[in-house]
């Protein structure tokens, strides 16, 4: 996916700037959180610094992120990666697409499958029946308003346990939270990969 710098209809301020600047002085716990984040993802990202304007948002966001599912015996890395990429694309958050599609191959996806998700081709030939169902569920839950037919609910209950459904639903909600927060602040891509770019107009 490509986004254009200085497009007035879908505005990004710069290649490395959000709509607002972080505070000049960051609280110690924000600096610590940003340092831990940088150690884990090998990137100096700006979201923790921006959230320093309202530390309660930084704390609650950090707690949520530390507890999300990354692998599970029922909902594996591949399916979680698919959910994260799909939500990121649907919300059109370049930072999130860039970050969530990074190292897709390590989660068992190939580039054709990533492109299928980006293009909304949820019936791609290599997607399993369960994966197609989850992508349909992601599509419904991420749209506004959220309208879920009975058939989808019944199919989700047929294919997944209650615990599995909670992991799927909470992952969708978590990525929606980050994607909408990050996009609302105009945070550009961080350069995890070349899956998503912001280009000059």
């Amino acid at each position: 996916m490509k986004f254009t710098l200085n497009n007035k209809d879908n505005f990004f301020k710069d290649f490395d700037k959000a709509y607002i600047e972080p505070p000049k002085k960051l609280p110690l716990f924000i600096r610590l959180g940003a340092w831990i984040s940088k150690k884990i993802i090998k990137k100096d990202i700006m979201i923790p610094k921006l959230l320093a304007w309202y530390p309660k948002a930084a704390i609650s966001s950090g707690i949520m992120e530390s507890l999300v599912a990354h692998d599970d015996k029922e909902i594996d890395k591949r399916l979680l990666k698919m959910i994260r990429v799909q939500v990121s694309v649907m919300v059109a958050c370049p930072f999130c697409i860039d970050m969530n599609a990074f190292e897709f191959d390590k989660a068992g996806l190939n580039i054709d499958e990533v492109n299928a998700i980006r293009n909304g081709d949820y019936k791609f030939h290599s997607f399993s029946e369960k994966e197609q169902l989850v992508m349909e569920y992601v599509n419904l839950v991420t749209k506004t308003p959220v309208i879920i037919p009975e058939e989808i609910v019944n199919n989700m209950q047929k294919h997944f346990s209650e615990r599995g459904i909670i992991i799927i639903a909470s992952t969708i909600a978590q990525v929606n939270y980050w994607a909408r927060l990050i996009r609302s602040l105009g945070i550009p891509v961080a350069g995890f990969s070349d899956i998503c770019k912001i280009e000059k107009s």
Side-chain angles (χ1 to χ4, degrees):
M1 259 183 127
K2 293 179 181 177
F3 297 83
T4 307
L5 195 66
N6 294 326
N7 175 350
K8 290 184 179 179
D9 293 327
N10 192 21
F11 181 67
F12 290 91
K13 191 172 184 178
D14 206 339
F15 292 112
D16 58 359
K17 289 181 181 174
Y19 298 151
I20 60 174
E21 294 289 329
K24 297 251 187 276
K25 189 172 182 182
L26 301 175
L28 177 60
F29 72 91
I30 298 279
R31 279 185 279 141
L32 179 62
W35 179 81
I36 292 169
S37 173
K38 186 177 179 180
K39 290 286 280 184
I40 293 170
I41 63 176
K42 311 288 191 285
K43 291 278 179 188
D44 186 16
I45 58 175
M46 64 178 78
I47 187 67
K49 297 170 187 174
L50 294 179
L51 291 179
W53 284 113
Y54 184 53
K56 286 183 179 180
I59 294 167
S60 60
S61 299
I63 291 169
M64 179 184 69
E65 184 61 24
S66 70
L67 298 174
V68 298
H70 292 287
D71 195 10
D72 183 78
K73 60 185 177 184
E74 183 177 2
I75 316 299
D76 61 17
K77 285 182 182 178
R78 174 181 161 90
L79 190 52
L80 289 167
K81 178 67 85 174
M82 292 171 76
I83 292 168
R84 290 190 166 98
V85 172
Q86 185 182 351
V87 173
S88 301
V89 168
M90 288 186 69
V91 177
C93 170
F95 176 95
C96 308
I97 297 167
D98 179 41
M99 182 174 181
N100 287 318
F102 181 56
E103 295 187 334
F104 58 85
D105 51 328
K106 291 186 178 177
L109 288 167
N110 62 51
I111 191 61
D112 292 333
E113 291 172 327
V114 171
N115 286 330
I117 295 169
R118 286 167 56 185
N119 295 330
D121 181 7
Y122 307 145
K123 302 292 186 186
F124 192 68
H125 67 88
S126 60
F127 295 150
S128 70
E129 182 184 351
K130 285 173 82 168
E131 289 169 346
Q132 291 180 25
L133 171 62
V134 169
M135 284 189 284
E136 190 174 357
Y137 184 66
V138 170
N139 186 51
L140 294 168
V141 173
T142 302
K143 282 182 178 175
T144 301
V146 176
I147 298 170
I148 307 172
E150 182 181 6
E151 180 187 4
I152 298 295
V153 174
N154 291 339
N155 284 337
M156 288 293 291
Q157 290 176 333
K158 185 167 72 176
H159 285 92
F160 300 99
S161 69
E162 289 86 348
R163 182 176 184 277
I165 292 170
I166 290 294
I167 291 172
I168 292 166
S170 60
T171 299
I172 297 167
Q174 178 255 347
V175 181
N176 262 282
Y177 169 78
W178 281 116
R180 293 175 191 279
L181 176 65
I182 288 167
R183 181 63 195 93
S184 69
L185 296 172
I187 296 173
V189 295
F192 288 94
S193 67
D194 60 359
I195 292 283
C196 186
K197 295 179 179 178
I198 297 180
E199 299 179 344
K200 285 185 179 178
S201 53

